[in-house]
Amino acid sequence: MAGGSEIILVDSSFFFALFEKNDSYHKDAVKKQEWLEEFPIIVPWPILYETINSKFVKLPATIRRFENIIRRSDTELLDDSEYRDEAYQETLELAKRGYGARSLVDSVLHAILKDMNVRISAMLTFDDRDFRPICASREIEIL
């Protein structure tokens, strides 16, 4: 990413790797953390639900670090309400047809990524296999 008007969508897989030292992607996440400081980010509410789980809230230092990212003025917490119904239906349909590998959260992210009204230049994720096709169709870089 060159700079300018880039906006990064952040997935929970990145946050898990960044804050969990035993995560296999932890070192990569620490290196990529600079993206969070250089560019505006979008964090959809389902990512918050997934990230701030029972294990996470028991670590006060981790919560403070996470809160510093979320409270930045160039962090947007994206309301997912307009995507929920479509994502829910799509998740169930994929599962009924035997393609049940996509979670509801990932379906919400797919719906957001498809929405041309949401400006996204890149996605910060370690789950790129699930998002590569949709990102490629919109020329969204996977970091």
Side-chain angles (χ1 to χ4, degrees), residues 2 5-6 14 39 41 48 51-53 56 58 66 68 71 77 81 95 103 109 112 126:
S5 63
E6 286 85 354
F14 174 78
F39 300 100
I41 64 172
L48 293 174
T51 304
I52 306 173
N53 58 36
F56 197 81
K58 293 176 184 169
F66 183 73
N68 286 338
R71 288 191 177 222
L77 300 180
S81 58
S103 71
L109 290 179
I112 291 167
F126 289 110

Side-chain angles (χ1 to χ4, degrees), residues 46 80-97 99-100 102-112 114:
D80 67 312
S81 58
E82 71 179 87
Y83 308 103
R84 289 179 196 158
D85 290 338
E86 173 190 339
Y88 175 71
Q89 293 303 321
E90 183 176 45
T91 301
L92 294 181
E93 286 306 313
L94 288 170
K96 287 190 270 184
R97 287 187 277 148
Y99 303 111
R102 187 188 300 166
S103 71
L104 180 55
V105 171
D106 285 354
S107 288
V108 168
L109 290 179
H110 272 255
I112 291 167
K114 282 189 257 183

Side-chain angles (χ1 to χ4, degrees), residues 22-71:
N22 295 325
D23 190 287
S24 60
Y25 294 107
H26 178 70
K27 288 180 182 175
D28 289 336
V30 170
K31 290 177 189 172
K32 293 179 178 187
Q33 184 176 2
E34 69 186 45
W35 295 110
L36 300 179
E37 297 158 7
E38 288 184 40
F39 300 100
I41 64 172
I42 294 174
V43 181
W45 273 93
I47 299 307
L48 293 174
Y49 298 139
E50 213 169 42
T51 304
I52 306 173
N53 58 36
S54 299
K55 180 180 174 185
F56 197 81
V57 297
K58 293 176 184 169
L59 306 168
T62 299
I63 287 292
R64 283 191 286 279
R65 285 179 58 208
F66 183 73
E67 187 177 36
N68 286 338
I69 294 166
I70 297 304
R71 288 191 177 222

